[in-house]
Amino acid sequence: MHDVWRTSRSILTLRSLGYLFDTGTSYRPGARFGPYAIRSGSRRQREIRAYSLAWGSNPYEQGSKIIDCGDVPVSPFDNALAIDQMEVAYSTLLARSISSKALSAWKHGAVLAKDGREHPRIISMGGDHTIVLPILRALYKIYGPIAVIHFDAHLDTWSGYPGAVTEQSRITHGTFFYTASQEGLISNNSIHAGIRCKLTGLDDVENDESVGFHFITSDDIDIHGVPAIIRRIRERVGDSPVYLSLDIDVIDPGLAPGTGTPEAGGWTSRELKRIIRGLVGLNFVGADVVEVAPAYDHAEVTGTTAADIVHDLLSLLVFQMPPTQPSRSEMWPRDEL
């Protein structure tokens, strides 16, 4: 079957990459099969039928070549080795040259990079959330500290779980941002969105702020609305190099049950997609969708949702202006009252 990320035209700018890793989980494993589930969910997507009414365009017709680079072979037995393997794979792809035969789709990338060159941008498919640590290590070499937009039900900034007695056991899908902060990989203007997990207390919030994050709760969408959330995120990250990390559990488990640590009360996929569209034009250097665990899914709804979000992320990376939709006012009758 032809996957949504397989081919396109013009210059090589965007790549997708799968991570068969889930040995950093604290609850239910299975996200190593996430890349398979996302690709399976993309089976009905085609570049010749990829026009989106919401985006008002087709991401495959914007001059970027889009390639699925397959999966990173990682050790299922040694987490330290696996993390090193993921960093090497990501760094190798980042080092690939952009074709000079066509105009760049993202000229500002060269301005942000330390070496003054434009680098490919990668959409990663997890895999548990631990995969973001080696990704940030690789991106730091190119761009310096990265601002993170983190869609998730959980903070993922804890310093370690009880029983973590070795250096490697401290690195999990709930602690990787703390480690990244300790290594200086992320900037002090990052933000979570969709938070609703249980905490040990306000100490967790204070620790989260020390790592460099502010957060938006899942309930904030009812209080402030989608436009206010978009404004808050954009104001927070500003013009920094930005990495978008999306844990599928930001969506309510009634709509995306195939994940390892579900939390009730999440956003709908429609709300999440609206927020993503509102972030166009930020300096994105990469993105991911993680924690898709198909063993807990029903009728492939989570894999299909994740695949559609990846399609949105393609548009997010290739467009520099928010989408403008054709007027459809004639479809709606006037309010004669």
Side-chain angles (χ1 to χ4, degrees):
M1 299 293 289
H2 175 92
D3 293 326
V4 61
W5 306 287
R6 190 67 63 184
T7 58
S8 189
R9 303 172 301 165
S10 189
I11 59 171
L12 180 57
T13 300
L14 302 179
R15 294 182 169 100
S16 66
L17 189 62
Y19 296 81
L20 312 181
F21 179 88
D22 64 4
T23 46
T25 55
S26 57
Y27 190 39
R28 303 190 300 188
R32 69 180 66 184
F33 302 108
Y36 160 78
I38 298 172
R39 291 187 179 102
S40 180
S42 78
R43 286 174 296 181
R44 291 180 60 246
Q45 298 183 20
R46 297 288 188 275
E47 65 181 73
I48 61 173
R49 194 178 179 182
Y51 183 93
S52 165
L53 287 173
W55 287 92
S57 58
N58 180 342
Y60 292 95
E61 296 177 350
Q62 308 308 311
S64 294
K65 188 173 184 180
I66 300 168
I67 288 183
D68 186 345
C69 296
D71 299 324
V72 179
V74 298
S75 170
F77 311 113
D78 186 331
N79 277 12
L81 174 59
I83 288 174
D84 284 344
Q85 290 170 325
M86 290 186 281
E87 181 182 349
V88 169
Y90 201 96
S91 294
T92 300
L93 287 181
L94 281 181
R96 296 293 297 273
S97 298
I98 299 296
S99 172
S100 60
K101 296 180 180 179
L103 293 175
S104 169
W106 189 52
K107 294 181 180 179
H108 197 53
V111 177
L112 295 173
K114 295 178 181 179
D115 59 6
R117 293 175 45 230
E118 183 184 347
H119 293 263
R121 288 182 290 174
I122 302 168
I123 298 176
S124 300
M125 300 177 289
D128 81 51
H129 223 148
T130 312
I131 72 167
V132 175
L133 178 60
I135 289 172
L136 289 174
R137 285 172 173 170
L139 287 170
Y140 176 82
K141 300 171 190 175
I142 302 296
Y143 300 104
I146 307 293
V148 178
I149 299 173
H150 177 220
F151 291 97
D152 203 320
H154 311 90
L155 296 174
D156 294 349
T157 55
W158 289 278
S159 59
Y161 289 125
V165 295
T166 65
E167 189 66 23
Q168 187 56 44
S169 66
R170 290 180 53 249
I171 299 176
T172 72
H173 72 160
T175 64
F176 65 93
F177 276 138
Y178 181 86
T179 302
S181 174
Q182 294 293 297
E183 295 180 7
L185 308 179
I186 56 179
S187 58
N188 200 39
N189 58 323
S190 298
I191 189 165
H192 310 288
I195 298 298
R196 59 188 186 280
C197 63
K198 305 297 188 295
L199 307 175
T200 58
L202 291 179
D203 287 348
D204 285 349
V205 176
E206 295 174 0
N207 173 71
D208 188 68
E209 291 177 348
S210 73
V211 172
F213 282 88
H214 286 178
F215 65 81
I216 297 167
T217 71
S218 58
D219 287 342
D220 285 336
I221 203 165
D222 299 319
I223 301 169
H224 303 290
V226 168
I229 288 176
I230 293 170
R231 285 195 301 272
R232 180 72 187 94
I233 294 173
R234 296 185 71 97
E235 290 170 358
R236 176 66 177 166
V237 301
D239 58 1
S240 301
V242 179
Y243 184 81
L244 189 153
S245 185
L246 194 150
D247 188 324
I248 202 67
D249 71 22
V250 71
I251 299 174
D252 189 87
L255 301 173
T259 192
T261 49
E263 301 281 355
W267 287 341
T268 67
S269 52
R270 184 179 66 251
E271 291 167 338
L272 177 62
K273 287 161 66 66
R274 285 184 62 199
I275 294 170
I276 290 173
R277 291 197 299 272
L279 302 179
V280 171
L282 296 176
N283 291 323
F284 288 106
V285 297
D288 67 60
V289 177
V290 298
E291 298 284 357
V292 175
Y296 317 111
D297 205 2
H298 173 70
E300 297 185 302
V301 294
T302 308
T304 302
T305 298
D308 199 69
I309 289 172
V310 172
H311 191 274
D312 282 337
L313 294 179
L314 291 175
S315 295
L316 182 70
L317 295 184
V318 300
F319 297 135
Q320 295 303 305
M321 297 293 291
T324 56
Q325 300 178 6
S327 174
R328 296 187 295 134
S329 58
E330 67 277 2
M331 297 177 60
W332 298 94
R334 292 186 178 182
D335 185 352
E336 297 180 355
L337 296 179

